[in-house]
Amino acid sequence: MNYKISKVAASLSPSLTLAIDSKAKAMKAAGEDVVGFGAGEPDFDTPQHIKDACAKALAAGFTKYTPAAGIPELREAIAAKFQRENGLTYKPSQIIVSCGGKHSCYNVILATCEAGDEVIIPAPYWLSYPEMVKLAGAKPVILETTDKTEFKVTPAQLRAAITPNTRLFVLNSPSNPTGSVYTPDEIKALGDICVEKGVLIMSDEIYEHLTYDGAVVKSVASFSPAHKDHTIIVHGFAKAWSMTGWRLGFLAAPEPIAKAIDAVQSHSTSNPTSFAQKGGVAALTGPQDHLPLWLAEFAKRRTYAHQKLSSIPGITCVNAKGAFYLFPNISALGLKSTDFCAKLLEQEKVAAVPGIAFGADDYLRISYATSMANIEKGLDRLARFCAGLKK
Ligand SMILES: *Cc1c(COP(=O)(O)O)cnc(C)c1O
């Protein structure tokens, strides 16, 4: 049988981060001593009270369809979060709960972009953004950045990239894969341009709560009513509550966009899992005391990993202020990122994600969402590997 694959599906690259992660896990299952720096998820368990709320809902028979956009209780809790933490007033009708932050991003792009539209995406980017844009039939326009600007786009760069076809600008701070955090002034300058030019912003704020060194995170929506009218905030439970497997995310949007996304979602996934939503309510309304503990642990690992990476001849590394990633530059070592990571996994059994997956071939993504012992062991091996390359 000659299967016909649609042009759009055939044009996609499968997720390289998920591929590396599953290869490392398979090697581990086969008894090999693999150190994985590929994880895109916290290594902590979901806090107990969240699991309890979900289990209770399940036991009570909360197992049926809910409204496609989520249960009112959760949409209200999310609106209250934006009010409390961001000073942003949204009606529950402007909140859509989805099956993960990734799903929220996809819904936003599908509801706002079509053939002929351009979507501006700074690189290094979260690898799903350009693929989602392609799925919508629109065109990703990539803005290159390097470690020299801490992987941040400049206002001049953004302005020069905007055309009459620009529909959406994708902002992700703190960033996956670089961990970079834009300052409030930098965010405002980019937001100002989008307001002036009538470009929508998709602001992916899923790492909002994961910052270090006192970095301040401010949503682009919070600078003025006009900024808010131009912004769709994407967020979720995956990172700050360690709920990646729950598949639960959310967004806040101007009313007409929220309505369109509700329609898209009602014909694709329908509601996110009913009892998972009850866990989401507990996550937002319950105690947050897990977070300082996790942040202290992440901060310790980040400091160690940054110092160790910086000490390896041939590697330079920005000390990123957010998320749980570092993005070291390997360009002086003479291998492009795919070769580098393949050889590193083969020779030293260390899994890192090649920067090419994020549109930046001179770098690696190192996730420090793994134990300190693993980080020490893995970075020692990386240092030995790099020393071998230099000879
Ligand atoms: C993890 C992540 C998300 C959302 O992940 P879900 O598991 O779908 O909630 C969204 N954006 C970025 C940049 C991420 O790293």
Side-chain angles (χ1 to χ4, degrees), residues 37-117:
F37 288 129
E41 58 187 349
D43 54 320
F44 309 112
D45 196 3
T46 307
Q48 190 60 43
H49 69 278
I50 300 174
K51 294 200 277 187
D52 289 345
C54 174
K56 196 171 142 207
L58 187 54
F62 193 68
T63 55
K64 299 297 201 291
Y65 291 134
T66 76
I71 54 176
E73 189 187 1
L74 181 52
R75 294 170 85 187
E76 280 159 24
I78 293 165
K81 171 255 177 285
F82 283 116
Q83 189 70 62
R84 181 175 70 240
E85 297 185 348
N86 311 93
L88 291 167
T89 308
Y90 288 105
K91 289 186 240 155
S93 58
Q94 295 179 270
I95 308 290
I96 309 283
V97 188
S98 306
C99 309
K102 184 179 274 185
H103 184 217
S104 297
C105 292
Y106 185 50
N107 281 341
V108 170
I109 291 168
L110 216 57
T112 60
C113 299
E114 61 199 355
D117 290 339

Side-chain angles (χ1 to χ4, degrees), residues 90 94 195 199-201 221 224-232 253-254 257:
Y90 288 105
Q94 295 179 270
V195 169
V199 171
L200 280 174
I201 304 161
S224 78
H227 287 77
K228 183 167 171 251
D229 287 345
H230 283 76
T231 303
I232 304 147
I257 294 178

Side-chain angles (χ1 to χ4, degrees), residues 40-41 99-105 126 129 172 174-177 204-207 234-239 243-245 247-249 324-325 365:
E41 58 187 349
C99 309
K102 184 179 274 185
H103 184 217
S104 297
C105 292
W126 189 42
Y129 299 140
N172 173 219
S175 152
N176 176 5
D204 183 343
E205 302 178 9
I206 193 135
Y207 293 99
V234 171
H235 212 308
F237 296 96
K239 308 296 157 53
M243 292 169 67
T244 46
R247 310 312 306 132
L248 200 62
F324 37 70
Y325 310 106
R365 190 187 73 175

